[in-house]
Amino acid sequence: MKTYRVKEMDGEAVVAVHSAEAKTPFEAAEKALGQKITLRAGADKWVRVVDLTERPQPVRLRPAIFEFKAIGHRK
């Protein structure tokens, strides 16, 4: 499993930060938020997922960043 940092965003402001271990960034976002997610598509309230897994140089210097938004209600 990979390690991800999941940030809940409101515009460009960070509202909350979570850490999650998962196989994919999509799964990490769902685990951290406790709800279903989808691609961001320009939403104001969204989730930034950063892959913290170390990678061979020089790629490891640029973390992979993914953007999603929550759908439905929190559990």
Side-chain angles (χ1 to χ4, degrees):
M1 291 227 201
K2 293 183 177 183
T3 303
Y4 296 93
R5 178 172 295 127
V6 180
K7 296 180 181 180
E8 293 182 53
M9 308 291 292
D10 188 354
E12 290 302 314
V14 177
V15 178
V17 179
H18 311 276
S19 182
E21 288 190 9
K23 293 179 182 178
T24 66
F26 195 87
E27 182 182 317
E30 286 188 340
K31 276 185 172 181
L33 271 60
Q35 63 188 107
K36 297 291 183 186
I37 54 114
T38 188
L39 297 177
R40 179 182 177 193
D44 289 332
K45 295 192 183 222
W46 57 288
V47 181
R48 175 184 291 151
V49 180
V50 180
D51 184 349
L52 300 177
T53 306
E54 291 187 29
R55 286 175 244 126
Q57 287 188 349
V59 177
R60 74 173 175 83
L61 300 176
R62 292 175 281 135
I65 299 173
F66 306 89
E67 297 180 354
F68 304 107
K69 67 178 179 180
I71 55 176
H73 300 285
R74 285 185 179 263
K75 291 181 181 175

